[in-house]
């Protein structure tokens, strides 16, 4: 496969401006990197937030090419890469969210940096569309649970003594049907937690049970009713609560369910008022990205095991909805994510289906 000279992308060319098709050079892989022809890329909430909210501070340069999750076929390998070859099917997490040419919303090639830890071969039982649903959600789940920085430092199931270590300890998750939540459930199961209790809409109860939840609670119940439902399920202290929604309402619910001595994991910044904080309850806001130095070792360990987990079905991807019109389809997809109109699935586009002229 030869490298083309330029590639097309969907980019924000100005701060909080409109998404536009934009052509730019092809980045050739440097030492230790692979270049991947992206066949599928997935949408994440951060992608609409950087355009529509104060999260634009994430973007340091324009044009800004967003997109974190990609799957495709290796087109070239940089010097020193021995674990991937041209033609391998891989998935991975693109690099920094802040740099201009780092996103996966692009139709040709992307270099995956730190390739040994953040790309994994995709086994035959997983499509590239499914593979594209994995990187961000799995990273937010894994860093939060198993890293000491940006997480609560549990022993990871792929390290010695980690698998099943937390047997008979309850785990509570707010938002089990979110993309992140689906991976949290599966990791909580590998870690042995029991019961695994999650909130979701009733239409997603079967989905979350298929991923490891032992008990479901309707997410429309009041905070008091959710807390009472948890107490009815387990009399044990709840030492780990993961809030995969992290709106103020769910944070308050999650904090009230947490027992003294326990840890609450948030996917956004804490909104719990200071006068309601207890010294004996820890709060951690996670950073689901394996590129920062302090998350890399964990990423390496997980990605060394990911192909096997996917093959055995111990980690399953999210359900996929493929959007039409290639990169152009991202614009409507992000509007749906912003309007909270995506339930239990990941939106994916095929960048190479992009037409030059928007439909
Ligand atoms: N810190 C990080 O590194 C990091 C990384 C990734 C994502 N995030 C953040 O994590 C959040 C989730 O991202 P995502 O991609 O996983 O979301 P998502 O899959 O797009 O979320 C959609 C789901 O949210 C559920 N939901 C909405 N409100 C809920 C509530 N009050 N209680 C329970 N479930 C609720 C819906 O469940 P039902 O359909 O069942 O009602 C729906 O299935 C976002 O805010 C995102 O920005 C942070």
């Amino acid at each position: 496969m030869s490298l083309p000279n330029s590639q097309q992308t969907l980019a924000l060319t100005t701060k909080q401006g409109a998404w536009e098709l934009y052509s730019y050079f092809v980045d050739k892989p440097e030492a230790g990197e692979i270049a991947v022809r992206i066949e599928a890329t997935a949408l994440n909430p951060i992608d609409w937030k950087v355009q529509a909210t104060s999260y634009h501070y994430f973007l340091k340069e324009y044009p800004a090419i967003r997109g974190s999750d990609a799957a495709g076929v290796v087109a070239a390998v940089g010097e020193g890469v021995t674990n991937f070859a041209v033609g391998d099917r891989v998935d991975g997490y693109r690099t920094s969210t802040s740099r201009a040419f780092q996103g996966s919303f692009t139709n040709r090639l992307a270099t995956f940096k730190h390739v040994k830890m953040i790309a994994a071969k995709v086994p035959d039982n997983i499509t590239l569309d499914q593979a594209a649903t994995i990187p961000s959600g799995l990273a937010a789940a894994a860093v939060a649970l198993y890293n000491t920085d940006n997480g609560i430092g549990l022993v990871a199931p792929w390290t010695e003594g980690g698998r099943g270590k937390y047997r008979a300890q309850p785990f509570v998750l707010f938002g089990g049907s979110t993309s992140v939540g689906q991976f949290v459930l599966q990791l909580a199961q590998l870690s042995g937690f029991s019961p695994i209790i999650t909130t979701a809409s009733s239409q997603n109860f079967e989905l979350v049970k298929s991923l490891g939840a032992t008990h479901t609670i309707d997410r429309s119940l009041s905070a008091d009713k959710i807390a009472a439902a948890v107490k009815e399920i387990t009399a044990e202290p709840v030492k780990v609560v993961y809030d995969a929604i992290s709106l103020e309402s769910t944070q308050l619910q999650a904090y009230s369910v947490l027992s003294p001595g326990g840890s609450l994991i948030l996917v956004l910044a804490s909104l719990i008022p200071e006068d309601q904080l207890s010294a004996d309850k820890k709060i951690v806001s996670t950073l689901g990205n394996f590129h920062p130095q302090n998350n890399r070792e964990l990423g390496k360990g997980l990605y060394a095991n990911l192909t096997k987990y996917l093959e055995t079905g111990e980690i399953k991807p999210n359900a996929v909805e493929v959007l039409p019109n290639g990169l152009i389809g991202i614009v409507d997809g992000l509007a749906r994510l912003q309007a909270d109109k995506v339930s239990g699935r990941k939106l994916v586009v095929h960048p190479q289906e992009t037409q030059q002229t928007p439909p």
Side-chain angles (χ1 to χ4, degrees):
M1 203 181 289
S2 61
L3 298 180
N5 292 323
S6 70
Q7 58 192 348
Q8 199 173 33
T9 181
L10 192 76
L12 293 172
T13 54
T14 56
K15 185 169 123 184
Q16 298 196 281
W19 292 99
E20 293 173 47
L21 286 179
Y22 180 85
S23 286
Y24 73 112
F25 62 89
V26 166
D27 40 353
K28 297 201 167 50
E30 293 172 9
E33 297 181 351
I34 53 176
V36 175
R37 177 188 150 95
I38 297 181
E39 303 291 341
T41 179
L43 281 59
N44 284 290
I46 187 66
D47 299 319
W48 68 260
K49 292 179 187 178
V50 293
Q51 185 208 28
T53 75
S54 58
Y55 275 88
H56 63 71
Y57 76 84
F58 258 51
L59 304 179
K60 308 281 187 238
E61 298 170 42
Y62 291 88
I65 300 167
R66 279 291 320 157
S68 308
D69 301 340
V73 177
V74 176
V77 298
E79 202 187 311
V81 173
T82 54
N83 51 344
F84 292 99
V86 171
D88 281 347
R89 298 159 78 241
V90 294
D91 80 345
Y93 186 98
R94 284 306 309 280
T95 52
S96 152
T97 48
S98 61
R99 289 183 42 209
F101 292 106
Q102 299 285 323
S104 61
F105 291 168
T106 179
N107 74 337
R108 293 287 182 221
L109 295 153
T111 51
F112 288 170
K113 291 189 189 296
H114 314 302
V115 62
K116 285 182 187 148
M117 68 180 196
I118 50 93
K121 285 187 194 168
V122 176
D124 291 344
N125 60 321
I126 301 289
T127 65
L128 289 176
D129 289 343
Q130 291 174 314
T133 71
I134 296 169
S136 291
L138 183 58
V143 170
L145 293 174
Y146 306 123
N147 217 35
T148 41
D149 288 342
N150 307 309
I152 62 171
L154 302 178
V155 180
W158 53 89
T159 60
E160 203 183 331
R163 188 154 180 145
K165 180 175 169 62
Y166 300 96
R167 220 162 260 124
Q169 297 186 34
F171 187 100
V172 177
L173 167 66
F174 285 76
S177 68
T178 60
S179 174
V180 172
Q182 293 184 39
F183 293 108
V184 171
L185 288 171
Q186 298 180 82
L187 293 181
Q189 190 175 40
L190 285 173
S191 286
F193 283 100
S194 180
I196 299 173
I197 304 164
T198 189
T199 65
S201 293
S202 54
Q203 81 216 22
N204 284 321
F205 283 178
E206 285 313 308
L207 170 73
V208 296
K209 283 185 178 161
S210 74
L211 298 169
T214 57
H215 297 77
T216 51
I217 299 175
D218 195 314
R219 65 123 147 151
S220 64
L221 292 179
S222 67
D224 287 350
K225 286 196 169 144
I226 290 176
V230 170
K231 280 215 168 77
E232 214 165 282
I233 295 163
T234 180
E236 294 297 317
V238 178
K239 293 289 183 68
V240 183
V241 179
Y242 194 122
D243 180 1
I245 305 298
S246 296
L247 297 174
E248 187 178 10
S249 55
T250 58
Q251 289 191 19
L252 290 170
Q253 290 167 1
Y255 199 63
S256 76
V257 163
L258 186 69
S259 300
S263 300
L264 169 62
I265 295 163
L266 302 175
V267 287
L268 303 174
S270 173
L271 297 169
I272 298 172
E274 287 218 356
D275 61 1
Q276 294 188 34
L277 292 174
S278 310
D280 56 2
K281 292 185 183 182
K282 188 175 161 192
I283 300 179
V284 175
S285 287
T286 197
L287 175 63
N289 180 341
F290 290 131
H291 291 282
Q293 188 75 42
N294 58 359
N295 287 348
R296 263 185 220 169
E297 279 309 305
L298 186 91
K300 254 188 217 176
L302 173 54
Y303 268 77
N305 288 278
L306 184 56
T307 308
K308 180 190 71 192
Y309 283 146
L310 292 172
E311 251 163 10
T312 57
E314 286 166 303
I315 292 184
K316 298 182 193 70
N318 297 158
V320 170
E321 178 182 339
V322 177
L323 303 175
N325 305 322
L327 294 169
I328 305 278
I330 289 173
V331 179
D332 283 349
L334 292 181
R336 279 175 57 196
L337 278 178
Q338 183 172 1
D340 208 4
K341 296 264 187 283
V342 180
S343 174
R345 62 181 61 185
K346 196 90 173 168
L347 303 182
V348 167
V349 301
H350 295 162
Q352 73 283 5
E353 290 172 2
T354 312
Q355 305 290 319
Q356 284 296 329
T357 315

